Amino acid sequence: MTKQILVKDIPIGGGAPITVQSMTNVPTKDVTACLAQIERLKNVGCDIVRLSVPDRESAFALREITDQSPLPVVADIHNDYKMAILSAENGAHKLRINPSNIGNQSKVRLVVDAAKDAGIPIRIGVNGGSIEKDLVEKYGYTPKAMAESCLKSVALLESFGFYDLVLSVKFAGVAQTVEAYRYLSRVCDYPLHIGVTEAGTPSMGEVKSAIGIGALLLDGIGDTLRVSLTDKPENEVIYGHRILRAVGLKSDYVEVISCPTCARTACDVQGIANRVEELVKNIRIPLKIAVMGCTVNGVGEGKQADIGIAGGKNKSILFENGNVIETVENDFIFERLALLIDKKIKEKRQ
Ligand code: SF4
């Protein structure tokens, strides 16, 4: 098990539930816009939010943002150690730095001292472009080189007596990212922030993130995650939760399983499944609903669900806990299913 750190009051690692993060994409110095975006992120289930701090104005804006933000705030720092220090002094709940672009060791030490004074953790976030020359010469431009680069920074911060760390090693490419994290998880027990960096627009970015993050989570690796998409930050959070659900790490939702349809399909599977999904999208209880297109395979496969339907020629079968309870005219499947869903939800809430 990894060590546990706290970002304000949210634990990362040590067996705590895996948290979902995102980043604002409005100027940090625009406090009103930042807080509005943070509120939207919170409403879709974001646990921790990160903000870029490129200049002094942004660092000073953190004071008001952290005072009012409903989520813990991470200051993302590149190149300028002074921004890290100012962020720590202005209420940031965590710093994200890449020590290799912060400058020499004395500057890194000043950042560490500021984090110690503020009592906040640091994420060492290494990426492919910042691997030291000697490590590239030794290991090539490989995931191992990046993991070793991260460990080198860990050793530096430990030499300053700082252990309140989270690590990330995001490589360009899904396979390399997974390999880098697997390596890191074998050799250290700091909590890991996982994700596939610059995954792209949703069409491929979601697939890359699902494979990379999903593979790691199925290995038991990862304590907090961010899905990086060229999209609205809220969608990163929604997608992060979907990945957690798909790998079985989150069960507080209604899962709709539906068949892919084929020549046997006897009812409007796609229309009904879409309407059911819309109906239950905000329900936070574990429930499984099956929408299957025929009775040949549908009943058997759908029986693993709490409730469901299997389409017939004019009438379809409604089942509950694996037992057929009724046949319904095809025109009224959704309405009847909706009543049953309502009953099930009430039962589960009791
Ligand atoms: S459940 Fe029936 S209709 Fe749906 S894909 Fe399977 S065989 Fe086809």
Side-chain angles (χ1 to χ4, degrees), residues 259-266 269 291-299 301:
C259 78
T261 72
C262 73
R264 290 198 191 95
T265 306
V269 173
V291 180
M292 312 301 281
C294 77
T295 51
V296 178
N297 289 330
V299 175
E301 287 170 22

Side-chain angles (χ1 to χ4, degrees), residues 2 54 231 326:
T2 53
D231 197 359
E326 197 180 320

